[in-house]
Amino acid sequence: GAGFVDGNVKAYTTLDAQVNYKLPKIKSLIKIGGTNITNNFYQTGFGNPYIGGMYYVSFAYNIL
């Protein structure tokens, strides 16, 4: 069976960013951003997977 693990998890820092661009003529919005944009892999606990960056682009139409 599985047991509990005792130990230290390394400290980590992430940098998130997002830029929004309005297109009023077509009532739209573009979003570009990401979480952990420096892509420094970190782990939040023993046995957990390492987490890297996630990036996205979003287009929303007819919202303004």
Side-chain angles (χ1 to χ4, degrees), residues 25-64:
K25 288 184 180 180
I26 59 172
K27 299 179 182 178
S28 299
L29 181 66
I30 297 173
K31 295 180 182 183
I32 300 171
T35 60
N36 191 12
I37 63 173
T38 56
N39 202 33
N40 290 325
F41 283 76
Y42 64 92
Q43 193 175 31
T44 60
F46 292 109
N48 290 355
Y50 282 87
I51 302 169
M54 182 181 75
Y55 311 95
Y56 56 87
V57 175
S58 169
F59 178 76
Y61 179 73
N62 199 22
I63 62 165
L64 302 176

